[in-house]
């Protein structure tokens, strides 16, 4: 024996390792493509569902803030004052006398709907004291599916 241990002799006589063949790589790529084709539409649908849910939650938050505004001041902001009245004391129209310092929304800013469009606020509304509307994915009145309007009176 020359002092070569069993490990070194195995290395000299062992099989060489090979990389992946082109066929193996192509099979993996095809499998990944099939998985992407199956999973991607489901994820896209979930994103739109999440946006609709987010719009409904935001509208509910506006409703809560509007109720607090009315409790303090005895009236809802006018259409002209808009939802801005929830973050800044109105300077036009009927001026609230008991406006809460810091406003009525925690974040002190109005966020657009999940599609980046402003919410529509009308007071008095056609369906109650006020209407809050998101025009959905297309940003236009009406529509179906994810383009449908999301309103406070439908929640």
């Amino acid at each position: 024996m020359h002092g070569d241990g069993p490990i070194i002799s195995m290395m000299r006589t062992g099989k060489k390792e090979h990389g992946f063949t082109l066929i193996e790589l192509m099979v993996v790529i095809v499998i990944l493509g099939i998985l992407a084709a199956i999973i991607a539409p489901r994820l896209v649908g979930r994103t739109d569902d999440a946006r609709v849910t987010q719009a409904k939650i935001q509208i509910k938050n506006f409703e809560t803030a509007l109720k607090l505004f009315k409790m303090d001041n005895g009236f809802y902001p006018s259409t002209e004052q808009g939802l801005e009245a929830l973050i800044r004391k109105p300077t036009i129209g009927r001026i609230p006398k008991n406006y809460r310092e810091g406003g009525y929304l925690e974040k002190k800013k109005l966020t657009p709907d999940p599609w980046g469009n402003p919410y529509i606020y009308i007071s008095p509304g056609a369906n109650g004291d006020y209407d809050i509307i998101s025009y959905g994915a297309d940003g236009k009145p009406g529509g179906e599916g994810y383009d449908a309007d999301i309103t406070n009176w439908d929640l």
Side-chain angles (χ1 to χ4, degrees):
M1 276 200 174
H2 293 287
D4 290 346
I7 294 175
I8 294 176
S9 64
M10 281 178 57
M11 290 174 69
R12 289 185 186 149
T13 60
K15 295 181 179 179
K16 293 182 183 178
E17 291 187 29
H18 296 284
F20 294 107
T21 65
L22 182 59
I23 299 287
E24 290 171 328
L25 287 174
M26 290 182 69
V27 168
V28 170
I29 290 171
V30 167
I31 290 171
L32 290 175
I34 291 170
L35 287 173
I38 292 170
I39 293 172
R42 290 183 184 174
L43 293 177
V44 169
R46 301 262 182 198
T47 301
D48 287 333
D49 289 341
R51 285 183 174 157
V52 169
T53 300
Q54 183 181 5
K56 289 178 180 181
I57 290 169
Q58 287 176 332
I59 288 173
K60 283 290 189 191
N61 288 339
F62 289 140
E63 285 190 307
T64 300
L66 286 165
K67 288 174 185 172
L68 291 172
F69 181 99
K70 183 175 182 186
M71 282 177 47
D72 288 350
N73 300 291
F75 62 93
Y76 290 109
S78 67
T79 301
E80 183 181 37
Q81 293 169 329
L83 293 172
E84 287 283 327
L86 300 175
I87 57 172
R88 274 185 284 289
K89 184 175 180 178
T91 57
I92 56 173
R94 190 171 174 190
I95 308 299
K97 294 183 178 164
N98 297 315
Y99 191 83
R100 180 179 168 196
E101 187 176 322
Y104 294 89
L105 292 175
E106 278 186 40
K107 294 187 178 181
K108 313 276 185 279
K109 67 178 186 172
L110 287 177
T111 54
D113 72 11
W115 298 276
N117 301 310
Y119 285 95
I120 308 301
Y121 174 76
I122 303 167
S123 178
N127 295 287
D129 292 324
Y130 55 84
D131 294 343
I132 306 171
I133 306 163
S134 165
Y135 287 142
D138 65 354
K140 300 174 190 169
E144 295 179 12
Y146 297 118
D147 292 337
D149 298 349
I150 302 166
T151 61
N152 64 304
W153 64 87
D154 286 334
L155 302 180

